[in-house]
mmCIF file of all heavy atoms in Angstrom:
data_model
loop_
_atom_site.group_PDB
_atom_site.id
_atom_site.type_symbol
_atom_site.label_atom_id
_atom_site.label_comp_id
_atom_site.label_asym_id
_atom_site.label_seq_id
_atom_site.Cartn_x
_atom_site.Cartn_y
_atom_site.Cartn_z
ATOM 1 N N TRP T 1 0.829 -1.202 0.000
ATOM 2 C CA TRP T 1 0.000 0.000 0.000
ATOM 3 C C TRP T 1 0.870 1.262 0.000
ATOM 4 O O TRP T 1 0.541 2.247 -0.664
ATOM 5 C CB TRP T 1 -0.923 -0.027 1.203
ATOM 6 C CG TRP T 1 -1.854 1.141 1.294
ATOM 7 C CD1 TRP T 1 -1.769 2.194 2.137
ATOM 8 C CD2 TRP T 1 -3.013 1.377 0.497
ATOM 9 N NE1 TRP T 1 -2.799 3.074 1.933
ATOM 10 C CE2 TRP T 1 -3.591 2.600 0.918
ATOM 11 C CE3 TRP T 1 -3.638 0.670 -0.529
ATOM 12 C CZ2 TRP T 1 -4.742 3.112 0.346
ATOM 13 C CZ3 TRP T 1 -4.800 1.196 -1.101
ATOM 14 C CH2 TRP T 1 -5.338 2.401 -0.653
ATOM 15 N N ASN T 2 1.967 1.262 0.735
ATOM 16 C CA ASN T 2 2.830 2.434 0.796
ATOM 17 C C ASN T 2 3.705 2.575 -0.446
ATOM 18 O O ASN T 2 4.035 3.698 -0.846
ATOM 19 C CB ASN T 2 3.733 2.354 2.036
ATOM 20 C CG ASN T 2 2.955 2.455 3.323
ATOM 21 O OD1 ASN T 2 1.916 3.112 3.379
ATOM 22 N ND2 ASN T 2 3.432 1.793 4.373
ATOM 23 N N THR T 3 4.091 1.467 -1.059
ATOM 24 C CA THR T 3 4.992 1.518 -2.210
ATOM 25 C C THR T 3 4.237 1.814 -3.497
ATOM 26 O O THR T 3 4.743 2.517 -4.375
ATOM 27 C CB THR T 3 5.755 0.192 -2.347
ATOM 28 O OG1 THR T 3 6.395 -0.114 -1.100
ATOM 29 C CG2 THR T 3 6.821 0.289 -3.427
ATOM 30 N N PHE T 4 3.040 1.287 -3.624
ATOM 31 C CA PHE T 4 2.235 1.474 -4.844
ATOM 32 C C PHE T 4 0.894 2.098 -4.464
ATOM 33 O O PHE T 4 -0.151 1.438 -4.519
ATOM 34 C CB PHE T 4 2.017 0.135 -5.554
ATOM 35 C CG PHE T 4 3.273 -0.659 -5.762
ATOM 36 C CD1 PHE T 4 3.563 -1.753 -4.951
ATOM 37 C CD2 PHE T 4 4.172 -0.318 -6.755
ATOM 38 C CE1 PHE T 4 4.708 -2.486 -5.143
ATOM 39 C CE2 PHE T 4 5.334 -1.045 -6.949
ATOM 40 C CZ PHE T 4 5.610 -2.129 -6.138
ATOM 41 N N PRO T 5 0.910 3.367 -4.047
ATOM 42 C CA PRO T 5 -0.349 3.980 -3.583
ATOM 43 C C PRO T 5 -1.364 4.192 -4.698
ATOM 44 O O PRO T 5 -2.557 4.311 -4.420
ATOM 45 C CB PRO T 5 0.119 5.321 -2.990
ATOM 46 C CG PRO T 5 1.400 5.618 -3.707
ATOM 47 C CD PRO T 5 2.046 4.305 -3.981
ATOM 48 N N ASN T 6 -0.915 4.234 -5.947
ATOM 49 C CA ASN T 6 -1.843 4.473 -7.061
ATOM 50 C C ASN T 6 -2.533 3.203 -7.537
ATOM 51 O O ASN T 6 -3.452 3.283 -8.352
ATOM 52 C CB ASN T 6 -1.093 5.108 -8.232
ATOM 53 C CG ASN T 6 -0.518 6.474 -7.878
ATOM 54 O OD1 ASN T 6 -1.107 7.208 -7.092
ATOM 55 N ND2 ASN T 6 0.630 6.811 -8.446
ATOM 56 N N LEU T 7 -2.080 2.049 -7.075
ATOM 57 C CA LEU T 7 -2.687 0.788 -7.485
ATOM 58 C C LEU T 7 -3.771 0.383 -6.501
ATOM 59 O O LEU T 7 -3.786 0.802 -5.345
ATOM 60 C CB LEU T 7 -1.627 -0.315 -7.569
ATOM 61 C CG LEU T 7 -0.498 -0.092 -8.590
ATOM 62 C CD1 LEU T 7 0.476 -1.261 -8.555
ATOM 63 C CD2 LEU T 7 -1.065 0.081 -9.993
ATOM 64 N N GLN T 8 -4.661 -0.441 -6.986
ATOM 65 C CA GLN T 8 -5.740 -0.935 -6.125
ATOM 66 C C GLN T 8 -5.177 -1.934 -5.122
ATOM 67 O O GLN T 8 -4.334 -2.776 -5.459
ATOM 68 C CB GLN T 8 -6.818 -1.595 -6.974
ATOM 69 C CG GLN T 8 -8.035 -2.042 -6.176
ATOM 70 C CD GLN T 8 -9.097 -2.635 -7.073
ATOM 71 O OE1 GLN T 8 -8.915 -2.742 -8.279
ATOM 72 N NE2 GLN T 8 -10.221 -3.022 -6.472
ATOM 73 N N GLU T 9 -5.619 -1.840 -3.897
ATOM 74 C CA GLU T 9 -5.137 -2.739 -2.861
ATOM 75 C C GLU T 9 -5.538 -4.167 -3.193
ATOM 76 O O GLU T 9 -6.671 -4.412 -3.631
ATOM 77 C CB GLU T 9 -5.713 -2.342 -1.506
ATOM 78 C CG GLU T 9 -5.128 -3.128 -0.349
ATOM 79 C CD GLU T 9 -5.644 -2.641 0.986
ATOM 80 O OE1 GLU T 9 -6.459 -1.694 0.977
ATOM 81 O OE2 GLU T 9 -5.240 -3.199 2.022
ATOM 82 N N PRO T 10 -4.619 -5.120 -3.022
ATOM 83 C CA PRO T 10 -4.944 -6.509 -3.356
ATOM 84 C C PRO T 10 -6.134 -7.018 -2.563
ATOM 85 O O PRO T 10 -6.370 -6.637 -1.416
ATOM 86 C CB PRO T 10 -3.661 -7.273 -2.978
ATOM 87 C CG PRO T 10 -2.591 -6.243 -2.986
ATOM 88 C CD PRO T 10 -3.239 -4.956 -2.572
ATOM 89 N N ALA T 11 -6.885 -7.885 -3.200
ATOM 90 C CA ALA T 11 -8.051 -8.469 -2.541
ATOM 91 C C ALA T 11 -7.608 -9.466 -1.479
ATOM 92 O O ALA T 11 -6.426 -9.784 -1.336
ATOM 93 C CB ALA T 11 -8.952 -9.140 -3.578
ATOM 94 N N GLU T 12 -8.576 -9.968 -0.759
ATOM 95 C CA GLU T 12 -8.275 -10.900 0.320
ATOM 96 C C GLU T 12 -7.825 -12.263 -0.178
ATOM 97 O O GLU T 12 -7.344 -13.081 0.594
ATOM 98 C CB GLU T 12 -9.513 -11.067 1.205
ATOM 99 C CG GLU T 12 -9.826 -9.863 2.050
ATOM 100 C CD GLU T 12 -8.728 -9.558 3.050
ATOM 101 O OE1 GLU T 12 -8.051 -10.495 3.514
ATOM 102 O OE2 GLU T 12 -8.541 -8.376 3.379
ATOM 103 N N GLY T 13 -7.935 -12.525 -1.474
ATOM 104 C CA GLY T 13 -7.464 -13.795 -2.002
ATOM 105 C C GLY T 13 -8.599 -14.789 -2.184
ATOM 106 O O GLY T 13 -9.699 -14.627 -1.635
ATOM 107 N N PRO T 14 -8.325 -15.841 -2.945
ATOM 108 C CA PRO T 14 -9.390 -16.826 -3.211
ATOM 109 C C PRO T 14 -9.719 -17.650 -1.978
ATOM 110 O O PRO T 14 -8.912 -17.835 -1.080
ATOM 111 C CB PRO T 14 -8.748 -17.713 -4.304
ATOM 112 C CG PRO T 14 -7.273 -17.576 -4.086
ATOM 113 C CD PRO T 14 -7.057 -16.170 -3.583
ATOM 114 N N THR T 15 -10.926 -18.156 -1.978
ATOM 115 C CA THR T 15 -11.372 -19.011 -0.885
ATOM 116 C C THR T 15 -10.863 -20.428 -1.109
ATOM 117 O O THR T 15 -11.026 -21.001 -2.198
ATOM 118 C CB THR T 15 -12.903 -19.009 -0.803
ATOM 119 O OG1 THR T 15 -13.348 -17.665 -0.630
ATOM 120 C CG2 THR T 15 -13.379 -19.858 0.355
ATOM 121 N N VAL T 16 -10.231 -20.982 -0.091
ATOM 122 C CA VAL T 16 -9.681 -22.323 -0.187
ATOM 123 C C VAL T 16 -10.773 -23.318 0.202
ATOM 124 O O VAL T 16 -11.385 -23.225 1.272
ATOM 125 C CB VAL T 16 -8.447 -22.487 0.730
ATOM 126 C CG1 VAL T 16 -7.900 -23.915 0.644
ATOM 127 C CG2 VAL T 16 -7.389 -21.475 0.343
ATOM 128 N N LEU T 17 -11.032 -24.270 -0.694
ATOM 129 C CA LEU T 17 -12.079 -25.253 -0.458
ATOM 130 C C LEU T 17 -11.596 -26.307 0.534
ATOM 131 O O LEU T 17 -10.422 -26.661 0.576
ATOM 132 C CB LEU T 17 -12.482 -25.913 -1.786
ATOM 133 C CG LEU T 17 -13.045 -24.958 -2.861
ATOM 134 C CD1 LEU T 17 -13.350 -25.735 -4.138
ATOM 135 C CD2 LEU T 17 -14.288 -24.242 -2.358
ATOM 136 N N GLU T 18 -12.523 -26.816 1.296
ATOM 137 C CA GLU T 18 -12.223 -27.865 2.269
ATOM 138 C C GLU T 18 -11.982 -29.178 1.532
ATOM 139 O O GLU T 18 -12.800 -29.608 0.705
ATOM 140 C CB GLU T 18 -13.392 -28.011 3.243
ATOM 141 C CG GLU T 18 -13.083 -28.865 4.441
ATOM 142 C CD GLU T 18 -12.194 -28.155 5.437
ATOM 143 O OE1 GLU T 18 -12.143 -26.909 5.399
ATOM 144 O OE2 GLU T 18 -11.557 -28.842 6.261
ATOM 145 N N PRO T 19 -10.842 -29.843 1.777
ATOM 146 C CA PRO T 19 -10.573 -31.098 1.079
ATOM 147 C C PRO T 19 -11.472 -32.218 1.603
ATOM 148 O O PRO T 19 -12.072 -32.110 2.673
ATOM 149 C CB PRO T 19 -9.104 -31.366 1.419
ATOM 150 C CG PRO T 19 -8.888 -30.710 2.729
ATOM 151 C CD PRO T 19 -9.771 -29.501 2.714
ATOM 152 N N PRO T 20 -11.577 -33.293 0.861
ATOM 153 C CA PRO T 20 -12.391 -34.432 1.330
ATOM 154 C C PRO T 20 -11.756 -35.070 2.561
ATOM 155 O O PRO T 20 -10.582 -34.830 2.861
ATOM 156 C CB PRO T 20 -12.375 -35.388 0.129
ATOM 157 C CG PRO T 20 -11.160 -35.008 -0.661
ATOM 158 C CD PRO T 20 -10.991 -33.537 -0.460
ATOM 159 N N PRO T 21 -12.512 -35.850 3.296
ATOM 160 C CA PRO T 21 -11.964 -36.515 4.502
ATOM 161 C C PRO T 21 -10.736 -37.355 4.161
ATOM 162 O O PRO T 21 -10.638 -37.956 3.081
ATOM 163 C CB PRO T 21 -13.135 -37.378 4.987
ATOM 164 C CG PRO T 21 -14.348 -36.747 4.410
ATOM 165 C CD PRO T 21 -13.940 -36.154 3.096
ATOM 166 N N GLN T 22 -9.791 -37.364 5.097
ATOM 167 C CA GLN T 22 -8.533 -38.071 4.900
ATOM 168 C C GLN T 22 -8.315 -39.048 6.050
ATOM 169 O O GLN T 22 -8.667 -38.764 7.200
ATOM 170 C CB GLN T 22 -7.353 -37.082 4.838
ATOM 171 C CG GLN T 22 -7.439 -36.092 3.701
ATOM 172 C CD GLN T 22 -6.352 -35.019 3.805
ATOM 173 O OE1 GLN T 22 -5.876 -34.710 4.888
ATOM 174 N NE2 GLN T 22 -6.005 -34.452 2.664
ATOM 175 N N ASN T 23 -7.699 -40.183 5.726
ATOM 176 C CA ASN T 23 -7.315 -41.104 6.784
ATOM 177 C C ASN T 23 -5.976 -40.663 7.382
ATOM 178 O O ASN T 23 -5.400 -39.650 6.949
ATOM 179 C CB ASN T 23 -7.255 -42.544 6.267
ATOM 180 C CG ASN T 23 -6.297 -42.686 5.083
ATOM 181 O OD1 ASN T 23 -5.258 -42.023 5.040
ATOM 182 N ND2 ASN T 23 -6.651 -43.538 4.136
ATOM 183 N N ILE T 24 -5.483 -41.411 8.352
ATOM 184 C CA ILE T 24 -4.266 -40.990 9.051
ATOM 185 C C ILE T 24 -3.075 -40.940 8.103
ATOM 186 O O ILE T 24 -2.268 -39.995 8.137
ATOM 187 C CB ILE T 24 -3.995 -41.930 10.240
ATOM 188 C CG1 ILE T 24 -5.105 -41.789 11.283
ATOM 189 C CG2 ILE T 24 -2.648 -41.623 10.873
ATOM 190 C CD1 ILE T 24 -4.936 -42.711 12.486
ATOM 191 N N PHE T 25 -2.962 -41.924 7.240
ATOM 192 C CA PHE T 25 -1.850 -41.926 6.291
ATOM 193 C C PHE T 25 -1.923 -40.709 5.380
ATOM 194 O O PHE T 25 -0.911 -40.035 5.125
ATOM 195 C CB PHE T 25 -1.865 -43.232 5.491
ATOM 196 C CG PHE T 25 -0.791 -43.297 4.441
ATOM 197 C CD1 PHE T 25 0.518 -43.596 4.778
ATOM 198 C CD2 PHE T 25 -1.100 -43.039 3.108
ATOM 199 C CE1 PHE T 25 1.510 -43.640 3.808
ATOM 200 C CE2 PHE T 25 -0.119 -43.087 2.134
ATOM 201 C CZ PHE T 25 1.198 -43.393 2.484
#
C-alpha cells in the first residue's frame, strides 16, 4: 500500500475449499 499507492489494494485472495476426509496416512 505504501509503495504502490496508485494501485488498487490486493483483494483478500481466493477461498480455499475444504478437502475431502482423509485417513491418518
Side-chain angles (χ1 to χ4, degrees):
W1 182 255
N2 293 329
T3 307
F4 310 103
N6 297 327
L7 298 180
Q8 185 178 2
E9 187 176 0
E12 289 297 329
T15 302
V16 179
L17 299 178
E18 191 74 21
Q22 299 172 333
N23 57 36
I24 295 179
F25 177 79

